[in-house]
C-alpha cells in the first residue's frame, strides 16, 4: 500500500447530512412526504436548525462524491490516499464536516464561501423510511480558480485517478473540462458518474456530459440513470447491456485504454462493458432483515471500486471491492462504516 498518498482526487458537492429520527407531525409541519428526495424550498429552511437541536441528531459528511471519497479512503486505510474538493460555508456545519472527514483520513481541500451557508441534506427518519431534503447552498459556488491554486494543482498532478459526479456538472463545467483534459494528456484515469436522470434530461447538462465523454475512461451509473441516458440518445427499448456496449465504443481522446462502462442494478448483476464487450458480475445479496438504508449504495460501490483501481487491480477485483463496500453500507444508517474494512485483498 506504499505510495498511495494523493492517488485519488474527487471534485463534488459537499453536503452535511443532518440526520435525526422524527415523527409524522414533523413531516407534516414541513410538508414532506415519507421516502422522498427533494430540493429544499423556502418553507423547509427552518427545519435544519430544528433537526440540529434534537438530542439524537447525527452529522455525517455527505454528497455523492464525498461519500465515494470517504469509502475509498476507508478501504485503503492510508492517510490522505484520497483528496476531496468542493465548496462549503464558513460556519459550524462546514467546520463539523471538515472535522469528521479529516478524522477519517481524507485530505479535504474545501473552497470556503463566507457569504453562503454550507450545503446540507436533512435526513428525516420515521421507522426505517427516510425523507431527504437537500439544500445545496455553498456547494453550488465552487470555482475553477480554487482548483488552479498551485497547491491544489499539485494534488491534481499527483493523482492517478480523478473522479467527478454528474451532480458537479451543474456547478463547475470548467473544472470538469480542466481535470478531464489533464488526465487525457497525462495518461491518467478520468471517471464520471451519471448521478441522476435529470443530468441527461436537461439539455445544457447533457451537453457538458457528452463534451466530457471523449475523456471519460470509467463511466458509472445505476439502471435508472442508464435508461434515462439511453432515452436521451434515442435508444429506447435497448437492453442495458447493449447501452453499456454503445457507450463503451464512443470515441475517446486517449486511445491508450478502452472506456469501461459500469452499470449497477440493485440486487441484479452489475454490467461492465469494455470496448464493446460485456461481462455480468453477481452482487452480494444482503438478507432483507439486515437492510437498513440503501441511499449510499451506489456511492459506496464506486468508492470500493476506486480503492482497487488506484492500486492497478483488474476489473473483477474492482467490482468485488465495490460490492463489498455497498453491502457493508446498506446494513448501516447513512453512508457510514465500521472502523476497519474486512475486505480480503488479493
Amino acid at each position: 500500500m506504499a505510495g498511495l498518498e494523493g492517488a485519488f482526487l474527487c471534485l463534488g458537492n459537499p453536503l452535511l447530512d443532518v440526520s435525526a429520527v422524527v415523527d409524522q407531525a414533523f413531516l407534516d409541519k414541513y410538508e414532506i412526504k415519507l421516502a422522498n428526495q427533494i430540493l429544499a424550498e423556502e418553507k423547509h429552511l427552518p427545519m435544519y436548525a430544528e433537526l440540529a437541536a434534537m438530542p439524537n441528531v447525527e452529522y455525517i459528511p455527505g454528497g455523492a462524491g464525498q461519500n465515494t471519497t470517504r469509502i475509498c479512503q476507508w478501504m485503503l486505510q492510508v492517510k490522505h490516499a484520497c483528496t476531496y474538493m468542493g465548496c462549503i460555508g464558513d460556519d459550524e456545519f462546514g467546520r463539523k464536516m471538515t472535522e469528521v472527514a479529516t478524522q477519517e483520513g481524507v485530505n479535504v481541500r474545501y473552497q470556503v464561501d463566507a457569504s453562503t451557508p454550507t450545503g446540507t441534506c436533512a435526513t428525516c427518519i420515521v421507522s426505517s423510511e427516510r425523507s431527504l431534503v437537500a439544500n445545496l447552498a455553498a456547494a453550488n459556488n465552487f470555482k475553477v480558480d480554487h482548483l488552479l491554486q498551485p497547491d491544489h494543482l499539485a494534488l491534481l498532478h499527483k493523482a492517478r485517478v480523478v473522479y467527478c459526479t454528474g451532480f458537479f456538472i451543474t456547478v463547475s463545467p470548467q473544472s470538469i473540462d480542466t481535470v478531464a483534459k489533464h488526465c487525457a494528456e497525462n495518461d491518467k484515469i478520468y471517471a464520471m458518474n451519471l448521478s441522476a436522470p435529470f443530468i441527461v434530461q436537461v439539455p445544457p447538462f447533457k451537453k457538458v456530459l457528452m463534451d466530457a465523454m471523449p475523456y471519460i475512461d470509467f463511466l458509472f451509473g445505476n439502471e435508472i440513470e442508464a435508461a434515462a441516458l439511453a432515452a436521451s440518445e434515442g435508444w429506447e427499448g435497448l437492453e442495458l447491456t447493449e447501452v453499456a456496449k454503445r457507450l463503451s465504443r464512443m470515441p475517446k481522446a486517449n486511445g491508450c485504454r478502452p472506456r469501461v462502462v459500469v452499470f449497477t442494478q440493485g440486487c441484479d448483476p452489475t454490467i461492465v462493458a469494455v470496448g464493446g464487450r460485456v461481462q455480468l458480475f453477481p452482487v452480494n445479496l444482503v438478507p432483507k432483515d439486515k437492510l437498513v438504508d440503501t441511499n449510499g449504495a451506489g456511492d459506496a460501490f464506486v468508492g470500493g471500486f476506486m480503492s482497487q483501481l488506484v492500486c492497478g487491480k483488474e476489473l473483477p477485483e474492482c467490482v468485488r471491492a465495490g460490492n463489498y463496500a455497498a453491502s457493508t453500507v446498506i446494513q448501516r444508517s447513512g453512508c457510514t462504516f465500521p472502523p476497519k474494512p474486512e475486505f480480503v485483498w488479493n
Side-chain angles (χ1 to χ4, degrees), residues 162 194 206 210-211 230 240 265 275 286 327:
V162 181
L194 297 176
K206 169 87 185 289
M210 299 317 283
D211 286 348
L240 288 189
Q265 306 186 91
V286 174
S327 67

Side-chain angles (χ1 to χ4, degrees), residues 26-327:
F26 183 92
L27 298 187
D28 294 342
K29 176 180 176 181
Y30 290 106
E31 299 175 41
I32 302 166
K33 291 180 186 166
L34 199 56
N36 199 13
Q37 302 180 35
I38 58 171
L39 287 175
E41 299 171 36
E42 195 72 34
K43 65 185 178 186
H44 298 121
L45 298 183
M47 176 179 63
Y48 296 91
E50 191 171 339
L51 282 171
M54 290 184 177
N56 62 354
V57 68
E58 282 189 292
Y59 297 98
I60 304 166
Q66 187 159 235
N67 286 344
T68 290
T69 305
R70 292 170 55 237
I71 290 286
C72 185
Q73 176 66 44
W74 169 69
M75 290 284 287
L76 291 169
Q77 294 285 309
V78 174
K79 187 181 179 183
H80 289 179
C82 300
T83 304
Y84 179 78
M85 294 185 198
C87 187
I88 63 172
D90 182 11
D91 53 23
E92 190 53 40
F93 282 172
R95 286 185 282 278
K96 174 68 74 173
M97 189 149 57
T98 304
E99 177 192 327
V100 176
T102 301
Q103 282 172 353
E104 292 173 345
V106 176
N107 184 9
V108 286
R109 296 299 184 101
Y110 297 126
Q111 178 181 338
V112 178
D113 179 352
S115 66
T116 315
T118 295
T120 46
C121 183
T123 305
C124 308
I125 305 167
V126 178
S127 64
S128 63
E129 295 284 1
R130 280 155 180 71
S131 295
L132 307 179
V133 186
N135 180 21
L136 294 181
N140 250 335
N141 297 342
F142 186 88
K143 301 291 184 286
V144 72
D145 298 352
H146 183 74
L147 173 66
L148 297 178
Q149 289 175 15
D151 55 337
H152 296 158
L153 261 186
L155 291 166
L156 171 60
H157 292 161
K158 191 173 187 180
R160 302 175 196 175
V161 177
V162 181
Y163 175 67
C164 294
T165 60
F167 293 125
F168 194 62
I169 283 173
T170 71
V171 172
S172 186
Q174 206 177 345
S175 298
I176 291 173
D177 187 63
T178 300
V179 297
K181 287 178 175 170
H182 166 82
C183 288
E185 289 161 7
N186 293 278
D187 196 20
K188 297 179 176 186
I189 292 172
Y190 179 62
M192 282 198 79
N193 201 310
L194 297 176
S195 292
F198 79 85
I199 295 296
V200 296
Q201 290 163 346
V202 177
F205 301 158
K206 169 87 185 289
K207 182 180 187 304
V208 176
L209 176 70
M210 299 317 283
D211 286 348
M213 191 65 77
Y215 304 100
I216 297 175
D217 298 302
F218 283 77
L219 180 67
F220 296 89
N222 65 26
E223 73 276 30
I224 297 165
E225 296 149 6
L229 178 55
S232 76
E233 289 289 306
W235 303 340
E236 288 99 339
L238 211 58
E239 292 283 337
L240 288 189
T241 50
E242 190 59 36
V243 173
K245 273 190 207 174
R246 290 193 183 186
L247 290 169
S248 73
R249 287 195 296 247
M250 282 184 168
K252 279 188 91 261
N254 179 351
C256 292
R257 63 174 70 85
R259 179 179 298 110
V260 180
V261 178
V262 183
F263 290 155
T264 56
Q265 306 186 91
C267 58
D268 291 329
T270 302
I271 297 168
V272 179
V274 187
R277 306 183 74 154
V278 170
Q279 285 179 279
L280 296 176
F281 293 88
V283 303
N284 311 334
L285 290 178
V286 174
K288 275 194 174 168
D289 62 335
K290 290 196 170 179
L291 280 178
V292 176
D293 184 356
T294 58
N295 279 327
D299 304 338
F301 175 88
V302 179
F305 190 104
M306 291 299 184
S307 73
Q308 304 303 293
L309 191 63
V310 297
C311 295
K313 301 285 186 178
E314 297 295 324
L315 281 173
E317 280 303 289
C318 296
V319 174
R320 186 172 73 89
N323 284 336
Y324 166 78
S327 67

